[in-house]
Each structure stands twice: as structure tokens, then as C-alpha cells.
Amino acid sequence: MSDTITDLSISALADLSGVSIDTLRYYERANLFVRPVRRDEAGRRRYGERDVIWVQFVTRLRATGMGITTIAEYTRLARLGEATNPERLALLEEHREHVVEKLRETQASLDAISYKIAEYERKVADL
Amino acid sequence: MSDTITDLSISALADLSGVSIDTLRYYERANLFVRPVRRDEAGRRRYGERDVIWVQFVTRLRATGMGITTIAEYTRLARLGEATNPERLALLEEHREHVVEKLRETQASLDAISYKIAEYERKVADL
DNA sequence: GCTTGACCTGGAGTGCACTCCAGGGTCTAT
DNA sequence: ATAGACCCTGGAGTGCACTCCAGGTCAAGC
């Protein structure tokens, strides 16, 4: 049994999360961390398992197009504790709607592209 | 029976396609039109049905994340005639792969977000 | 004890896709 | 013949999300 992840360096977190070192520092400046990032005696960042999970979730939000300021707002609510659960829920639900809609649009565009591809396939096959 | 669309002004095309006037001019500068845009005696742009269809397809490519320079490359091939059909086909097929992959990723992120939403729903319902 | 490598900070720079602006022309209706 | 709507050009500006840089600190290995 391995111990819980603790005291990761910024490069270790970068490797683990796929988010670059510079971007991790940028996220911190943009207030995307719920609690201040821990530091060691020398002032270097130390991340724990919760940070890893959090960064992975932020990556999901980013991958679906949520902007940095909206994530910062969500994080702000999280800092305020359980009382903001309904607001956080509402924020995520609204975002989900956006994502579902964008997924639909992308699928429609994909269909149009596939149709075009089929045309080219016919032409290239010399029909 | 209505005639085929012809001689649309830039604002008419903007309304029809959902692409702004400025963006249409920008696309032209970026060489995203296969043939030079027609002008009237006063030098104003006049678009026909083929332009409408083309702009709509460009919008599909943009909506799925194809960059301006790649669309310009595709357009360049189109200008060279039927001989480039295989290359155009390959370009679109490669793009389709990207889109399908991105769709998969977005769906995975959506699932993660939905999972989080379900958590909040439980918490908010006071369980 | 000195090099090497990872890390720090504040701030500047980048790439992308628009979007806006100044200054000017033209067409139509009053 | 004058106002107002629409269009033109070249070029500057914007917003976003990073990404890079200079100059410096610190710990570990040789």
C-alpha cells in the first residue's frame, strides 16, 4: 500500500496533471486554488493529493471552455464553505448546458464535414 | 420560385451567415475565399450563392477548431482545381480525426462535471 | 566550495482570431 | 444639395490564455 500523495514539487504536479509549470503558477495568480498553495522552508511550492484532484478538475473545466474568471468565481465560492453549495451547483449546471449545446453544434459541424468528405471520396474514386 | 441568390452586400451576407462584416473582410485578407470576391462599379463587395455556401462551410471548419491558416491551405488547394482533390480529402480526413478525438475528450470532461453535479445535488438535498 | 539544477518573482511577450478606428467615397431619399 | 446609410482601406487595438524572461535563491552532489 502506498501512502497518500503529499509534498509534490511543481514539476511533479506538472508531470502528473499535464499542466505546465508556468500555467500552474499562472493559475495560482489567477486565484484558481481554493487554499493558498503550501510552501516548504525554502519557499518552494508543495502540492498534496487534494491539489492534484483539484487541478485535474480545473483541467476538465478548461477543456470544456470555462473561462479562467468563471473558474475563479467557482473557487471563490468554494472558499466560502458549504453554504455556497447551491450556487456552485447552479454554476456547474449552467456550464453543463453550455457544454451540451456546444457538443451538439460540434456534432452538426462534424456531420457537414463528413458529408463533404463523402463527396471528395466519390470524386477521387472517379465517378 | 425565387431566383438564385446573387449580388448580396456584405451586410446581407453577414446576416445570412452569422459571420460579422469585419470578420468577412478579415477572411478575405486571410485568403479564405477561393476566387476574388466580386465588386460592383463602386468597388463594393457582391456575394453570390456559392460564396454563401462557402462561408457556411468555413464556419463549420472554424466551429470545429480548424485554424485560419489551415483553412487558407485548403482554399489554396481548391484554387488549384480538381487535381488536388486527394489532398483536400486527406486534409479534411485528418481534421475529422481531430474533431472526433476532441468530441471524445469533451464527453469525458462532461461526464466528470456531471459526476460533480450529482455530488452537489446530494449535498444540497442534505443527505 | 563550487557547479548544477530546480525553483522563485514580477513583468513582458506571444499567438490567435477577431474587432475597431480614422478618414474617405457613394447612393438614395427628401 | 444635404443628410443618412452603407461601404471602402490600412492599420491599430483587444481579450484570452498562456508562455517566456531576467535576475536571483537554495540544496545537493562532486
Side-chain angles (χ1 to χ4, degrees), chain B residues 63-122:
Chain B
T64 49
M66 185 182 283
I68 298 295
T69 56
T70 306
I71 301 177
E73 168 65 8
Y74 177 68
T75 308
R76 189 184 68 79
L77 292 171
R79 266 192 293 274
L80 295 177
E82 299 292 311
T84 63
N85 278 341
E87 284 165 88
R88 285 186 257 165
L89 174 57
L91 191 153
L92 288 186
E93 278 176 334
E94 197 195 330
H95 181 58
R96 178 166 59 179
E97 281 314 298
H98 288 152
V99 177
V100 168
E101 180 52 28
K102 203 185 164 192
L103 226 35
R104 258 197 287 274
E105 274 183 36
T106 302
Q107 187 59 58
S109 294
L110 183 60
D111 291 348
I113 291 163
S114 292
Y115 183 83
K116 197 85 172 179
I117 285 175
E119 273 182 12
Y120 275 119
E121 278 168 347
R122 260 181 278 113

Side-chain angles (χ1 to χ4, degrees), chain A residues 9 11 25 29 39 45:
Chain A
S9 70
S11 62
R25 289 198 276 242
R29 285 198 232 191
R39 304 294 184 117
R45 293 168 178 82

Side-chain angles (χ1 to χ4, degrees), chain A residues 66-121:
Chain A
M66 185 181 283
I68 298 294
T69 56
T70 305
I71 301 176
E73 167 65 8
Y74 177 67
T75 309
R76 190 185 66 80
L77 292 171
R79 266 191 293 273
L80 294 176
E82 299 291 311
T84 64
N85 277 342
E87 285 165 87
R88 285 185 258 166
L89 174 56
L91 192 153
L92 289 186
E93 280 177 332
E94 198 196 330
H95 180 59
R96 176 165 61 178
E97 282 313 298
H98 288 151
V99 177
V100 167
E101 179 53 28
K102 204 185 164 193
L103 226 36
R104 259 197 288 273
E105 274 182 37
T106 302
Q107 187 59 59
S109 294
L110 183 59
D111 291 346
I113 291 162
S114 292
Y115 183 82
K116 196 85 171 180
I117 285 175
E119 273 182 13
Y120 276 118
E121 278 168 346

Side-chain angles (χ1 to χ4, degrees), chain B residues 9 11 25 29 39 43-45:
Chain B
S9 70
S11 61
R25 288 198 276 242
R29 284 197 234 192
R39 304 295 183 116
R44 284 168 302 198
R45 293 168 176 83

